[in-house]
Amino acid sequence: MTNYTRLIYEIKRKASNFSKKISKDLSKPKTKFISQMIYGLLDGQSVLLSNIGRSLKEDILLKKTVERLSRNLENFDEQEDLSEKYINELKPHIDDNTVFCCDKSDVVKPYSKKLEALDRVRDGSTGETEKGYDTFEITALTDKKKLPVEIYSHIYSSLESGFKSRNIEALKGLDFVEEHFGKKGIYALDRGYDANMYYEYFTEGNKDFVIRAKGNRNVIYKGKSLNIKKVAALYKGKYAYRYRNQNNKERKLKFSYAPIKLPALKDTELTMVIVRGHGINPTMIITNLNPNSKRLTLAVLKAYIKRWRIEEYFRFKKQKFDFENFRVRSLKKIRNLDLILSITIGFLALFSNKKKTKLRVFVKKVSERIFDIPNFEYYALADGIRKVLAKS
């Protein structure tokens, strides 16, 4: 028989210790607020303040609990200090081989009317334009489980004061990573960032990157300016690689590499990796890494494949915690809620990344998966912890 009393104690202790570390030096009321929010998110699996309040089980009216949480969200101004402490917990897991997955996402609120600076954004799920906010997020893959753990997330609106452009918002995030982790890691970005400004940013900053190229880009190949598709057509796939995609289906890829330059960076040696097997057209990846063998070229390919983990992370964040269903109205509250949720998911990642312990085994066991625990085990961890805390 499972000893839930012991499990409850262990999970509460770990969550409490984690909360104390990241809220160190904050005032006691704000330390308590962060601790209660993290516990409420783990137990309630919802960003609704009413559900978080129910998880706290306080001997006061639920309305009073919700009002206090809402007031604290609005009055919390120590985002930088909280982020700094949280990043310090992640630093031991970041090295030169870490993949920083960077991408834009969205928060869609089609039926909202009263939210601050409510914008029009493209819904990534449907392709339609809806009311909501854009976000730029960067996750780092943990060293053992390769789970995406968020290190930067910023929700923004083109209607708010001081907004300049989406590219500026992306560069702010990239600067944040360098500020906290230096030149470590490899940055993986999708086609939306195939622009000269990003190639210049990474090469001038001496940072490693892999960027998927668009089909209308021209490159310099053997001294001539050619469309990138024409260059890719010259390479049919020198090497082969098998892997399982996000749907757990095995895929066989063939890949090659070619030395290139860009018209805007004629003095910079770059490499294009050509990948066949994803679809009719080849996938073309531009990198400043120098893959001169199958092993190194495969490393570039794997770095880009891992970028898809951030899309799984977006899905988990929205589905498991119902993130797009928040009811707070001001941008400050929304951003603070996003920050605390990101930190809570970071706790799950660090919990998973530790050596195999009885506690982690029990948590995944009580999550009652129908099939085996997948590599993306956030769902199992979140469900297991919730089920244990429900016995409290």
Side-chain angles (χ1 to χ4, degrees), residues 250-302:
E250 187 176 273
R251 301 287 294 272
K252 180 182 179 181
L253 303 179
K254 299 183 73 176
F255 60 97
S256 307
Y257 68 92
I260 63 165
K261 293 182 180 180
L262 298 181
L265 296 168
K266 294 183 179 180
D267 297 327
T268 304
E269 299 283 349
L270 297 173
T271 301
M272 178 173 70
V273 176
I274 305 99
V275 186
R276 298 183 181 277
H278 279 304
I280 299 175
N281 298 315
T283 299
M284 299 159 290
I285 302 168
I286 296 177
T287 178
N288 60 345
L289 299 173
N290 183 26
N292 53 10
S293 67
K294 177 181 178 179
R295 180 177 61 83
L296 295 176
T297 311
L298 183 58
V300 173
L301 174 58
K302 285 182 175 180

Side-chain angles (χ1 to χ4, degrees), residues 180-236:
H180 290 87
F181 301 104
K183 308 293 183 182
K184 291 181 178 180
I186 303 169
Y187 295 79
L189 302 95
D190 205 11
R191 285 174 291 191
Y193 302 93
D194 177 24
N196 290 334
M197 65 177 297
Y198 292 104
Y199 293 111
E200 292 170 357
Y201 173 86
F202 287 119
T203 54
E204 290 174 3
N206 193 30
K207 291 185 270 192
D208 295 334
F209 68 88
V210 293
I211 299 177
R212 184 177 178 181
K214 297 176 183 176
N216 61 355
R217 167 167 289 282
N218 273 23
V219 298
I220 298 175
Y221 177 70
K222 294 185 177 180
K224 295 181 180 180
S225 179
L226 297 172
N227 178 268
I228 195 169
K229 287 185 176 179
K230 291 184 177 180
V231 179
L234 301 174
Y235 293 84
K236 303 303 180 184

Side-chain angles (χ1 to χ4, degrees), residues 309-341:
R309 297 291 249 178
I310 195 173
E311 296 177 7
E312 294 176 307
Y313 176 84
F314 291 154
R315 192 178 302 113
F316 170 77
K317 186 175 180 179
K318 291 179 180 180
Q319 291 181 354
K320 183 55 66 175
F321 293 92
D322 202 12
F323 181 60
E324 290 183 312
N325 195 30
F326 59 76
R327 304 294 171 85
V328 294
R329 295 180 177 181
S330 73
L331 268 174
K332 184 178 180 181
K333 287 183 179 180
I334 295 170
R335 286 167 177 159
N336 281 336
L337 188 60
D338 179 45
L339 173 61
I340 297 171
L341 175 57

Side-chain angles (χ1 to χ4, degrees), residues 170-186:
L171 292 177
K172 287 179 183 177
L174 297 173
D175 286 340
F176 178 89
V177 177
E178 181 176 8
E179 178 184 344
H180 290 87
F181 301 104
K183 308 293 183 182
K184 291 181 178 180
I186 303 169

Side-chain angles (χ1 to χ4, degrees), residues 1 7 25 40 66 82 87 123 148 167 222 241 261 264 271 275 323 336 347 358 377 380 386:
M1 183 175 178
L7 287 175
D25 300 328
V66 172
L82 186 65
I87 291 295
D123 185 347
N167 286 331
K222 294 185 177 180
Y241 172 59
K261 293 182 180 180
T271 301
V275 186
F323 181 60
N336 281 336
F347 167 75
K358 288 184 179 180
E377 61 179 35
R386 184 186 189 185

Side-chain angles (χ1 to χ4, degrees), residues 47-48 106-115 118-121 123 130-133 322-329 334:
V47 293
L48 290 177
D106 54 78
V107 179
V108 177
K109 303 289 289 182
Y111 305 111
S112 297
K113 297 179 180 179
K114 301 292 186 180
L115 300 186
L118 192 60
D119 204 353
R120 299 290 298 183
V121 300
D123 185 347
E130 293 282 4
K131 289 186 288 186
Y133 301 100
D322 202 12
F323 181 60
E324 290 183 312
N325 195 30
F326 59 76
R327 304 294 171 85
V328 294
R329 295 180 177 181
I334 295 170

Side-chain angles (χ1 to χ4, degrees), residues 28-42:
K28 286 186 177 180
K30 291 184 177 179
T31 298
K32 179 181 178 181
F33 165 64
I34 296 299
S35 177
Q36 289 187 329
M37 287 292 292
I38 291 176
Y39 179 88
L41 287 166
L42 289 172

